[in-house]
Amino acid sequence: MFPASRYSSQAHRCIRAWKTVQTEHAAPQLYTTLHRRTCSSGTVPRVTTHYTIHPRDKDPRWEGIEMERFADEADVVIVGGGPAGLTAAIRLKQLANEHEKELRVCLVEKASQIGAHTLSGACLEPTALSELFPDWKERGAPLNTPVTEDVFSILTEKHRIPVPMLPGLPMRNHGNYIVRLGNFVRWLGEQAEELGVELYPGYAAAEVLFHEDGSVKGIATNDVGVAKDGSPKDVFERGMELHAKVTLFGEGCHGHLAKQLYKQFNLRENCEPQTYAIGLKELWTIDEKKWRPGRVEHSVGWPLNRNTYGGSFLYHLNEGEPLVALGFVVGLDYTNPYLSPFREFQRWKHHPFVAPTLEGGHRIAYGARALNEGGLQSLPKLTFPGGLLIGCSPGFMNVPKIKGTHTAMKSGMLAAEAIFPKVTAESLDSETTGLHVPEYADSLKNSWIWKELYAVRNIRPSFHNYFGLYGGMVYTGIFYWVFRGKEPWTLKHCGLDANQLKPAKDCTPIEYPKPDGKISFDLLSSVALSGTNHEGDQPPHLTLKDDSVPVARNLAIYDGPEQRFCPAGVYEYVPMETGDGMRLQINAQNCVHCKTCDIKDPSQNINWVVPEGGGGPAYNGM
């Protein structure tokens, strides 16, 4: 139940403490209002067995099973061990030390180790890091590759059009560092642990808990020991509750708890829908003669058409071996259901400007992750009684820069500074049982995060024009480079990405070349490089609200786009055993936790929930 990791001994101490406190009854499940399948099991194969769709109180197999949970109290609970969550934890403990206050900060992370689920390009802007640790170089932060060269290109099928990187353009990376973000996050974890933060990797926050007045009480970790058919195993163990005065939600892009909070507190009432992209990445070792440490390359154009937002990166790292990080980003507002982001990535690597770098090289890692692209227009309300949203969960990514780590870290710092006076006050003054800290939102609006996002707010939506990519680049050149985003209007996005797909009958299928096994590869061999693993005998965490929808709607109208937009081969349409149609097969063990399916499903029928803690990819410094 408790994955071995460098933090596991501390986790065991916490578990022993949990077992000494008085147990409390579990809070009601948040999803019990979801309907059961509308079709009979005789006509549609049962795909979903998860309790969020099939409540246990209606399942006779769960009668008599002990459902009480151990509970523990902290001052602050943080969900997510990424840059935002760890930075918030560090800043809280820094403030506690400065003011000589006792403050218990607990952080839960679903990955088996801190940093194991972290994936990014990544070119890091060190602004927030320097504010958090002015002595980060002396502390040994793994920022080993300062950017020495910027290259930007517009690609056609056979040629490259160079674009000069003038000072002031968002893609200029002077002063930044090429990093392996997983290594950087692991280092942040070490700094947090030294300060006394309690880190619990391998524990997935599965449920938000609420006080009777509706304010957030904390979170519950996931249950373990549930069989694939949804029944309890002999080793069933209930999750544990962590209660706090304030809970920070830093789950990353499209967090599954954040989705619940949006509905519970109507946090998206006054903002636009979030829009997303999927980013795919590989690490390669290459011929040393082709290695240019510090070189940063970006491109737009081929193989995408002008109306599909996206682009590429290729970064040369300086970590003792000729290593490059390369990847491809596709906006999830694309319209053609036949498009496969993974296969576009593989095709891009064969471009005459890209392939020579990779020829003779060796691919060593692969991964994928969704990205927030909505910017300022899509930021929800960030505070609610008992909690805050930080980092990429609400979406602080600067899309033109393709950077969100520095803004995520700064949001964590601002959250810590806003809540610290309240959680340490001797007499808590709050209208609700869970502390409400609206000062956090005010601090954000007065920070450099807000100024940065405001200046680029129109760049991403400017691509929604007849000329697509080229019209967006012209807009960027005029209104950002010349006027620095001071135009007196704010453009809108097109709506939910899930609503953008056209019916398959109205689109042209895309013929992708077969992978050559040298530069381009098939999907399953790629997933094998991600280190992904889940306990096989557990309910699939890719749940369907209605098991009949994939075949009846997604396959019938859109030719089953989930089998193409998933970067891990999770979704397959296979013939029925009876020979009278097709059924959807979910290979949940392949899931790399990118959340793309939850975002892009045109029926919004897929709901991603956490698997057992410790499952998922095992990215080694991605």
Side-chain angles (χ1 to χ4, degrees):
M1 176 180 176
F2 309 120
S5 75
R6 64 186 309 274
Y7 305 102
S8 60
S9 61
Q10 194 173 32
H12 290 174
R13 290 197 298 272
C14 182
I15 291 154
R16 287 196 294 270
W18 274 336
K19 292 187 177 181
T20 65
V21 299
Q22 183 177 5
T23 59
E24 299 181 5
H25 287 288
Q29 300 294 348
L30 296 178
Y31 278 106
T32 53
T33 57
L34 288 173
H35 297 296
R36 290 176 178 269
R37 291 177 298 123
T38 58
C39 53
S40 69
S41 58
T43 57
V44 175
R46 182 170 180 174
V47 181
T48 302
T49 56
H50 201 274
Y51 75 91
T52 55
I53 305 299
H54 300 282
R56 291 167 179 166
D57 60 0
K58 299 180 181 179
D59 188 339
R61 298 174 299 178
W62 286 88
E63 290 181 5
I65 300 297
E66 178 59 60
M67 297 299 286
E68 288 186 328
R69 292 190 283 217
F70 295 106
D72 197 10
E73 297 281 344
D75 293 300
V76 181
V77 167
I78 300 173
V79 179
L86 288 167
T87 299
I90 288 168
R91 187 67 188 127
L92 281 166
K93 295 300 281 189
Q94 286 177 337
L95 291 167
N97 292 342
E98 289 170 13
H99 293 84
E100 299 182 345
K101 297 278 190 178
E102 288 293 326
L103 188 71
R104 187 178 182 205
V105 181
C106 294
L107 182 150
V108 295
E109 162 57 40
K110 63 183 174 65
S112 60
Q113 296 183 1
I114 297 295
H117 286 179
T118 300
L119 181 145
S120 183
C123 191
L124 177 68
E125 186 173 313
T127 314
L129 174 61
S130 296
E131 293 180 11
L132 184 68
F133 289 122
D135 59 342
W136 58 264
K137 290 184 180 179
E138 291 74 16
R139 287 173 175 265
L143 277 65
N144 306 314
T145 312
V147 175
T148 58
E149 184 182 5
D150 259 312
V151 177
F152 192 88
S153 310
I154 299 173
L155 301 182
T156 64
E157 186 172 358
K158 299 293 183 183
H159 301 95
R160 166 186 177 255
I161 303 169
V163 178
M165 281 290 95
L166 301 172
L169 285 175
M171 296 292 287
R172 186 175 168 90
N173 285 286
H174 179 76
N176 298 332
Y177 292 81
I178 305 169
V179 300
R180 298 170 69 176
L181 195 62
N183 291 346
F184 177 68
V185 166
R186 190 157 47 244
W187 175 83
L188 283 176
E190 293 167 359
Q191 308 309 304
E193 191 180 34
E194 287 179 9
L195 286 165
V197 177
E198 297 177 32
L199 302 176
Y200 301 112
Y203 293 90
E207 184 180 337
V208 183
L209 305 176
F210 297 93
H211 291 288
E212 289 184 2
D213 67 354
S215 60
V216 171
K217 184 178 185 180
I219 56 95
T221 63
N222 62 303
D223 298 343
V224 296
V226 182
K228 194 170 186 177
D229 65 0
S231 64
K233 301 180 188 177
D234 293 339
V235 294
F236 172 73
E237 187 86 23
R238 194 79 163 108
M240 299 180 182
E241 296 188 7
L242 266 176
H243 303 164
K245 300 170 185 175
V246 182
T247 304
L248 307 186
F249 294 88
E251 303 168 277
C253 178
H254 207 65
H256 82 290
L257 295 185
K259 288 197 307 177
Q260 300 171 30
L261 293 166
Y262 293 153
K263 295 178 181 177
Q264 181 76 16
F265 296 106
N266 202 17
L267 301 179
R268 303 204 67 90
E269 180 181 17
N270 297 313
C271 70
E272 291 193 37
Q274 186 62 261
T275 185
Y276 302 87
I278 179 174
L280 305 105
K281 180 182 178 181
E282 294 176 352
L283 285 177
W284 284 61
T285 55
I286 62 170
D287 184 339
E288 192 164 356
K289 294 178 182 177
K290 304 172 183 178
W291 183 37
R292 303 288 184 270
R295 180 181 170 102
V296 165
E297 302 176 23
H298 290 101
S299 77
V300 294
W302 188 89
L304 301 178
N305 63 34
R306 73 173 190 268
N307 295 118
T308 302
Y309 187 85
S312 75
F313 64 87
L314 198 159
Y315 302 154
H316 294 246
L317 290 143
N318 188 14
E319 299 194 356
E321 59 178 331
L323 192 69
V324 294
L326 58 147
F328 203 76
V329 176
V330 179
L332 288 178
D333 56 354
Y334 67 82
T335 60
N336 188 342
Y338 293 109
L339 187 145
S340 164
F342 172 82
R343 298 182 77 177
E344 296 289 350
F345 177 28
Q346 300 305 310
R347 182 160 64 165
W348 165 78
K349 290 187 291 180
H350 283 281
H351 190 274
F353 182 65
V354 180
T357 301
L358 304 179
E359 288 169 353
H362 177 63
R363 188 177 67 150
I364 60 175
Y366 166 81
R369 190 69 175 94
L371 312 169
N372 298 93
E373 290 202 334
L376 198 73
Q377 298 92 313
S378 299
L379 287 177
K381 185 178 179 183
L382 300 166
T383 67
F384 42 90
L388 312 175
L389 298 173
I390 61 174
C392 288
S393 179
F396 291 114
M397 179 175 166
N398 183 321
V399 179
K401 284 187 177 182
I402 326 179
K403 292 176 181 61
T405 302
H406 66 300
T407 49
M409 291 178 67
K410 181 63 175 177
S411 74
M413 295 171 66
L414 292 171
E417 290 162 1
I419 69 175
F420 178 77
K422 292 200 171 186
V423 296
T424 57
E426 293 184 6
S427 58
L428 295 176
D429 183 18
S430 175
E431 295 179 358
T432 55
T433 306
L435 288 177
H436 189 198
V437 190
E439 292 85 352
Y440 165 57
D442 296 334
S443 297
L444 271 165
K445 290 178 181 178
N446 292 319
S447 73
W448 53 258
I449 291 181
W450 208 263
K451 294 176 183 177
E452 186 173 313
L453 295 185
Y454 182 83
V456 301
R457 70 195 184 282
N458 287 330
I459 293 181
R460 175 66 176 91
S462 73
F463 282 75
H464 294 297
N465 65 81
Y466 175 80
F467 299 103
L469 166 69
Y470 308 108
M473 293 183 70
V474 169
Y475 185 98
T476 300
I478 296 173
F479 291 103
Y480 179 78
W481 190 63
V482 177
F483 296 110
R484 288 294 181 266
K486 293 179 180 178
E487 62 269 33
W489 58 80
T490 297
L491 301 178
K492 294 185 176 181
H493 300 294
C494 288
L496 285 175
D497 293 337
N499 295 338
Q500 305 309 311
L501 283 182
K502 296 178 180 178
K505 65 180 179 61
D506 298 331
C507 299
T508 303
I510 302 174
E511 295 295 329
Y512 290 105
K514 291 183 178 180
D516 65 0
K518 297 177 182 179
I519 291 178
S520 54
F521 302 90
D522 66 273
L523 189 56
L524 294 183
S525 68
S526 300
V527 176
L529 290 177
S530 69
T532 298
N533 187 51
H534 296 85
E535 163 59 45
D537 190 17
Q538 65 174 303
H541 63 282
L542 295 316
T543 69
L544 304 178
K545 299 173 186 176
D546 185 334
D547 287 350
S548 69
V549 164
V551 171
R553 188 170 191 270
N554 287 12
L555 183 62
I557 300 175
Y558 303 101
D559 198 41
E562 53 270 72
Q563 60 192 330
R564 288 179 286 274
F565 61 57
C566 173
V570 170
Y571 301 95
E572 287 184 280
Y573 284 95
V574 298
M576 293 274 283
E577 287 75 4
T578 57
D580 58 351
M582 304 291 283
R583 64 178 177 85
L584 178 66
Q585 178 172 295
I586 297 180
N587 307 306
Q589 284 182 282
N590 286 7
C591 179
V592 295
H593 297 198
C594 73
K595 312 289 182 67
T596 302
C597 57
D598 195 316
I599 297 165
K600 189 61 176 172
D601 175 14
S603 302
Q604 286 297 276
N605 187 51
I606 298 172
N607 185 43
W608 194 102
V609 299
V610 289
E612 289 188 4
Y619 296 138
N620 180 22
M622 289 284 276

